[in-house]
Amino acid sequence: MSAQPVKGSRSNDHAWLITGPLVLFAVVCATVTGLISDHPFGGWPLAVVLLVAMVAAGLPVLNFTVRRQSLGVTITEIPLVLAFYLTRPLTVVAICTGAAILTHLWHRMGATKLWFNVARAAAGSSLAVLVLQVLPPVEGVGPRTWLTLFTAAIMVNLVSITSVAGVYTLVQGWQTGRDAFRKSPSALFSAGINIVAGLIVLILITSNWWSLVLLSALVSALALVYRAYAQFFRQHRTLSDMYELSRAVSGSGQDGTLADALLGRVRAMLQAEYATLWLPAQRRHPEVLLTSRIADPGLLDVAPTPAALREQVRRDGQTLVLTRGAGADGKLRTALTEQRVKDVIVVPLRSGQAVVGTLEVANRLGASNSFSRTDVPLLETVAAHAAVALENSRLVDRLRHDAEHDTLTKLPNRRRLIAAVGEAVKIRAPGEVVALLLFDVDRLRQVNESLGHAAGDKVLVEVAERLRACAPSSALVGRAGGDEFLVTLRLEGVEAALDLATQLREQIRDEMVFDALTLDVDTAVGVAVHPDHGGDAVALLQRVDLAANAAKSVPGSVQLYSPALESRSLRRLGLAGDLKRALEDGELEVYFQPKVTLGDRRLVGVECLARWEHPAHGTVSPDDFVAVAEHTGQLGRLTEFVLRESMRRSRDWSHGEQPLCVSVNLAARTVNDPRFPGLVRELLTEYGVPPQRLTLEITEAGVLDGTERPVPILRCLRDIGVRLSVDDFGTGNSSLAQLRRLPVHEVKVDRSFVQGMATDPGDLAIVNAVVTLSQQFGLTVVAEGVESELTLELLQDIGCEIGQGFLFSRPLPYERLEAWFGAQVDPETVAAGELPRLRVVP
């Protein structure tokens, strides 16, 4: 499979849009020079010598490392300075253009790059000789001559830098072009050094041509010194890269990021366009094929090379090196050419004597560069480190697998089941529940006491096999501990869960024969479902366990969890008294979660959320203490507490020149209280908060309960000037058409749909429909549960205005919120009186 083009980049053929104007510019400058110069051409024998010198100076690229940065330098400015002084103007243009043609033909560049570089050389030299004609004539080799020649030579470099930056901007975007301009000072600095060296050479040869002998000796000595320098730094850089790579690879084996740590570094180390890791399927490990490409920030699941190469290396266990025109048969060479692969090295990854995969690099950067045999030991050394890290990673994976599976039945254990249920309840599929069926094996203790624990183990293994065989393919079957087995899956509802529990119980009730003894093993089954019976894995497992215990004494042995199964009345009674004291003593706290515009990341407000840290019970769920408040007549006090705290903070923020809107959640009972609008009006007046800065959020079930009871209260609140929002929209049976009859301003899309947008097309379609219709009805849309950049991009694409979620911030207490403001909000926007803009979104 061929690699895909880089998103946002254009074809290199667009470089002709720069090449054409450069050619025209060169022609104009050369023409003007020819008209104003008395002798534009001449000195051809010397021109040939300078042409040879310029080609020789342009072929090698000298690399120097300065402060950890690599600087590539050519010395073409030296013969260029001599040409300006010793030959005629248009002869210099001919020398520069001819040298560019010969140099880039030697490098085997494509036609687009070749003619761009030739046009760049012609334009730069044409401008330089025109500048020479405008400046005072060159006489002798004094300081005025130095300045004149330096100015002309630097013009060539300025044209080169400008044209290269223009091509980068046109082909790869303005950011790449800007980076090219940022690197221009170092290029001009090295050019300046070369020009000064050229002037020194000019002074020497004009004083005495025999100085060329000494210069030749000096150049030869410097070449030897540079060769030693380059070899030393190449070895030093290779050792440094190997050290860093070894550290990265060793550290990544534990967290499963081996490919990320390995491939990018290998590609950079060997200056390749692609680096690919291939691990064929092995036992329970699936096939892995990942590629790092120079233009992509992430890893691709394709490779540019044919699969036959990797299969050959795996089969033979030998490194394979294919370079341009060598090392491949005709059919394979054709396949490589079709994929635009000019050269490749494939080395085996060994675990002992076995080959467990391959590591490869393809397409050495540079049109004329190619991999050599000296690169093979380096890549083989990297492969050895990677193979060790891979084996360690798989060992850790095996240990982790053993830690999450029961050794007797090979089923997932309780730890794995808790994690699986926790993941399942995070995304609520519309019209489905997460069902937990707990099978408790009856009379296993008697089996252990009568026949021994070996017989009991056989019973457990047999029950496990029967459950695994009978359960639907979408179900996860695990051993919850002891004689308990758990089956969890998504179903249509509670009735479907009860039906499945009954069917499975009947199917695993068949007789079990142990030698001459036949056992009739039965099970008691408890059933619990999300979201009806719990919002997290721990609560669901606790409640399904209660149901299974109750099933042992219930006819039919299948019991659905109900709140009556646990003694919650005492706890709730205790919470009622504790809540009263907590409200009196100020133990409750209000947390704030920011709301941000998705388009320009401006902070528009915060949602105010009550939190209670109980001294004995720890953190009490808002659902629990709100329910207690409703049933004990304390809901009004709780609501007033949250309203007062939110308005006080809104007032403080306004005084601090950072006005923010606040949102407060209301229970359905509060919306039906005719005294509530008066309370809101009094609090707004008391704290001096404009009504439009307060948003009251009512759940969809509370505002659309099928009656007209909430409508008068909502209209009173609207008349006050308060904004009204429908919270958790989409979780009920209402529609946007029903909202048209209500005086609401805002719709909050439930987090379950927002979090599922990136993986579920149905959720994406629901959110899209809500946003589109709400905007047509003039309603603001707020997306809850924005937790990833991908979700943020999808919301922006469909036109959602505002979002809140963990991507921006979790709910924070006031002190931490102030610190968050200081870290995230751009102070310049606050000072300007605008809505605060987030500086960074973590």
Side-chain angles (χ1 to χ4, degrees):
M1 185 178 293
S2 61
Q4 298 299 318
V6 185
K7 183 179 179 180
S9 64
R10 300 176 180 174
S11 169
N12 287 339
D13 292 339
H14 285 79
W16 286 105
L17 297 176
I18 303 294
T19 303
L22 284 176
V23 172
L24 180 61
F25 181 76
V27 171
V28 171
C29 290
T31 303
V32 174
T33 300
L35 293 175
I36 66 176
S37 175
D38 295 335
H39 301 286
F41 292 101
W44 293 110
L46 183 57
V48 173
V49 175
L50 292 172
L51 174 63
V52 173
M54 191 168 291
V55 171
L59 286 177
V61 178
L62 309 180
N63 292 292
F64 298 94
T65 301
V66 180
R67 294 183 180 179
R68 292 183 167 268
Q69 291 187 354
S70 181
L71 185 63
V73 178
T74 59
I75 56 174
T76 54
E77 289 84 3
I78 295 176
L80 179 63
V81 170
L82 299 179
F84 284 146
Y85 186 83
L86 299 174
T87 63
R88 300 297 183 183
L90 295 186
T91 304
V92 175
V93 176
I95 292 172
C96 293
T97 306
I101 294 173
L102 295 175
T103 302
H104 294 97
L105 285 176
W106 175 269
H107 287 310
R108 298 181 182 180
M109 287 190 175
T112 303
K113 290 184 179 180
L114 170 65
W115 292 116
F116 166 73
N117 286 289
V118 170
R120 178 165 58 98
S125 57
S126 299
L127 177 62
V129 296
L130 181 58
V131 170
L132 280 176
Q133 299 303 310
V134 175
L135 294 174
V138 174
E139 295 179 359
V141 288
R144 192 174 70 177
T145 298
W146 303 346
L147 182 60
T148 301
L149 295 179
F150 190 94
T151 302
I154 210 68
M155 286 295 172
V156 177
N157 286 275
L158 290 175
V159 171
S160 178
I161 291 171
T162 304
S163 57
V164 169
V167 167
Y168 281 156
T169 302
L170 188 64
V171 176
Q172 298 184 14
W174 65 270
Q175 199 165 14
T176 308
R178 184 183 61 182
D179 292 340
F181 269 121
R182 286 180 176 176
K183 296 176 181 178
S184 60
S186 60
L188 292 174
F189 177 75
S190 60
I193 294 176
N194 290 337
I195 294 171
V196 172
L199 292 173
I200 294 173
V201 172
L202 176 62
I203 294 171
L204 291 175
I205 64 174
T206 53
S207 62
N208 191 335
W209 282 93
W210 284 102
S211 60
L212 287 174
V213 177
L214 298 178
L215 287 173
S216 300
L218 179 61
V219 169
S220 300
L222 290 175
L224 293 175
V225 171
Y226 171 76
R227 183 177 180 182
Y229 162 87
Q231 184 176 5
F232 169 77
F233 269 93
R234 184 165 54 249
Q235 293 174 348
H236 179 269
R237 186 177 61 184
T238 300
L239 289 174
S240 299
D241 291 345
M242 282 297 302
Y243 174 71
E244 293 295 333
L245 187 143
S246 299
R247 289 185 58 189
V249 168
S250 299
S252 63
Q254 305 297 322
D255 54 13
T257 59
L258 174 62
D260 301 85
L262 174 68
L263 294 178
R265 288 176 170 84
V266 169
R267 180 183 51 72
M269 185 186 302
L270 290 172
Q271 299 178 13
E273 183 181 0
Y274 299 94
T276 300
L277 175 68
W278 176 59
L279 304 174
Q282 184 180 13
R283 294 190 293 275
R284 59 186 183 83
H285 297 288
E287 181 185 22
V288 174
L289 180 64
L290 294 172
T291 297
S292 172
R293 186 171 61 178
I294 190 171
D296 291 289
L299 298 181
L300 308 175
D301 58 356
V302 296
T305 54
L309 290 180
R310 294 182 287 278
E311 291 290 352
Q312 178 180 336
V313 172
R314 181 192 182 193
R315 182 179 62 252
D316 300 339
Q318 300 294 325
T319 297
L320 181 63
V321 181
L322 303 178
T323 58
R324 181 179 294 168
D329 56 31
K331 184 177 180 181
L332 188 55
R333 174 55 59 187
T334 301
L336 292 174
T337 302
E338 290 177 353
Q339 301 296 336
R340 298 182 179 180
V341 177
K342 64 176 182 177
D343 50 358
V344 62
I345 303 177
V346 188
V347 299
L349 296 175
R350 300 181 184 277
S351 176
Q353 298 299 318
V355 177
V356 296
T358 63
L359 179 65
E360 67 184 71
V361 289
N363 284 2
R364 189 66 172 265
L365 296 178
S368 61
N369 295 334
S370 182
F371 295 119
S372 63
R373 290 289 175 180
T374 59
D375 296 317
V376 174
L378 179 60
L379 189 58
E380 289 179 338
T381 303
V382 173
H385 285 286
V388 172
L390 175 65
E391 284 302 299
N392 292 339
S393 175
R394 289 189 169 179
L395 175 61
V396 171
D397 181 63
R398 187 159 55 250
L399 293 174
R400 186 179 292 114
H401 177 272
D402 293 342
E404 294 182 346
H405 287 76
D406 176 50
T407 55
L408 176 64
T409 62
K410 309 304 180 185
L411 293 176
N413 60 16
R414 189 175 187 86
R415 175 191 293 181
R416 178 72 185 92
L417 289 170
I418 290 175
V421 174
E423 290 296 325
V425 301
K426 285 181 180 178
I427 302 176
R428 179 182 174 187
E432 291 183 345
V433 298
V434 178
L436 280 73
L437 318 178
L438 186 65
F439 295 80
D440 192 320
V441 180
D442 288 339
R443 297 185 298 277
L444 184 65
R445 180 178 180 181
Q446 289 85 339
V447 174
N448 287 332
E449 292 175 351
S450 304
L451 303 177
H453 285 278
D457 290 346
K458 289 182 179 179
V459 171
L460 292 175
V461 171
E462 182 65 22
V463 172
E465 290 296 332
R466 292 183 180 181
L467 269 178
R468 188 156 41 192
C470 299
S473 58
S474 60
L476 175 66
V477 180
R479 185 182 179 190
D483 55 359
E484 295 177 340
F485 295 88
L486 184 73
V487 178
T488 178
L489 73 167
R490 292 188 182 276
L491 291 171
E492 293 81 5
V494 175
E495 292 300 325
L498 291 172
D499 292 343
L500 178 62
T502 303
Q503 295 172 14
L504 292 179
R505 176 178 171 272
E506 292 298 326
Q507 290 173 354
I508 64 177
R509 282 185 63 189
D510 291 344
E511 295 178 343
M512 299 181 186
V513 179
F514 296 94
D515 297 329
L517 186 64
T518 301
L519 299 179
D520 184 11
V521 180
D522 199 358
T523 57
V525 189
V527 179
V529 299
H530 167 78
D532 296 10
H533 303 145
D536 59 79
V538 175
L540 288 168
L541 286 169
Q542 177 187 359
R543 289 162 185 175
V544 77
D545 191 48
L546 288 172
N549 288 332
K552 295 179 180 180
S553 57
V554 175
S557 294
V558 175
Q559 175 66 49
L560 178 67
Y561 167 82
S562 67
L565 296 178
E566 60 178 325
S567 302
R568 299 188 62 182
S569 57
L570 290 177
R571 181 172 182 269
R572 288 223 167 162
L573 183 60
L575 283 179
D578 293 342
L579 179 60
K580 181 179 180 181
R581 286 191 296 271
L583 287 169
E584 291 174 351
D585 299 338
E587 294 179 4
L588 267 69
E589 191 175 6
V590 173
Y591 279 42
F592 305 86
Q593 185 172 29
K595 298 167 69 174
V596 178
T597 59
L598 303 182
D600 54 3
R601 308 291 179 94
R602 291 191 180 275
L603 182 63
V604 295
V606 292
E607 182 177 2
C608 306
L609 304 164
R611 294 291 184 265
W612 184 17
E613 191 70 20
H614 194 281
H617 300 294
T619 302
V620 181
S621 167
D623 292 338
D624 284 342
F625 66 77
V626 169
V628 169
E630 284 185 305
H631 289 92
T632 57
Q634 302 183 74
L635 182 62
R637 293 186 62 193
L638 176 61
T639 304
E640 182 179 350
F641 163 74
V642 178
L643 280 171
R644 285 186 175 276
E645 186 67 10
S646 61
M647 291 189 192
R648 183 167 70 90
R649 298 305 183 187
S650 179
R651 179 194 61 190
D652 295 344
W653 289 325
S654 298
H655 293 167
E657 296 184 353
Q658 187 172 294
L660 290 177
C661 297
V662 291
S663 301
V664 177
N665 292 293
L666 299 182
R669 182 172 297 182
T670 302
V671 182
N672 293 313
D673 185 357
R675 297 169 297 176
F676 180 69
L679 173 64
V680 172
R681 184 182 290 105
E682 291 174 5
L683 292 177
L684 289 171
T685 303
E686 178 181 348
Y687 289 95
V689 175
Q692 63 270 18
R693 287 191 191 155
L694 174 63
T695 300
L696 300 177
E697 297 183 6
I698 310 100
T699 60
E700 179 184 1
V703 74
L704 295 168
D705 59 355
T707 68
E708 295 294 324
R709 288 180 300 173
V711 175
I713 307 298
L714 294 177
R715 287 176 177 166
C716 288
L717 292 171
R718 180 198 60 187
D719 294 338
I720 294 173
V722 172
R723 289 178 56 82
L724 300 175
S725 174
V726 179
D727 197 10
D728 299 333
F729 188 80
T731 56
N733 298 320
S734 60
S735 66
L736 284 169
Q738 294 175 277
L739 292 181
R740 297 184 64 186
R741 63 183 179 84
L742 298 176
V744 296
H745 308 83
E746 184 180 277
V747 172
K748 297 189 74 174
V749 185
D750 187 67
R751 69 181 67 249
S752 61
F753 300 114
V754 175
Q755 292 173 347
M757 289 175 61
T759 56
D760 190 342
D763 287 346
L764 178 60
I766 291 172
V767 177
N768 191 11
V770 171
V771 171
T772 302
L773 291 176
S774 297
Q775 291 175 343
Q776 291 180 357
F777 294 157
L779 301 177
T780 303
V781 181
V782 179
E784 296 184 291
V786 182
E787 297 183 0
S788 70
E789 288 288 348
L790 178 55
T791 302
L792 177 63
E793 292 177 3
L794 292 173
L795 289 169
Q796 289 175 322
D797 290 341
I798 64 178
C800 185
E801 302 102 321
I802 301 173
Q804 66 182 92
F806 290 173
L807 178 64
F808 306 109
S809 173
R810 295 174 179 270
L812 301 172
Y814 179 74
E815 293 76 13
R816 291 180 59 190
L817 181 71
E818 288 293 304
W820 185 89
F821 282 162
Q824 305 296 333
V825 173
D826 188 347
E828 294 182 0
T829 61
V830 176
E834 302 174 354
L835 287 173
R837 184 193 296 272
L838 299 192
R839 181 187 295 114
V840 177
V841 177

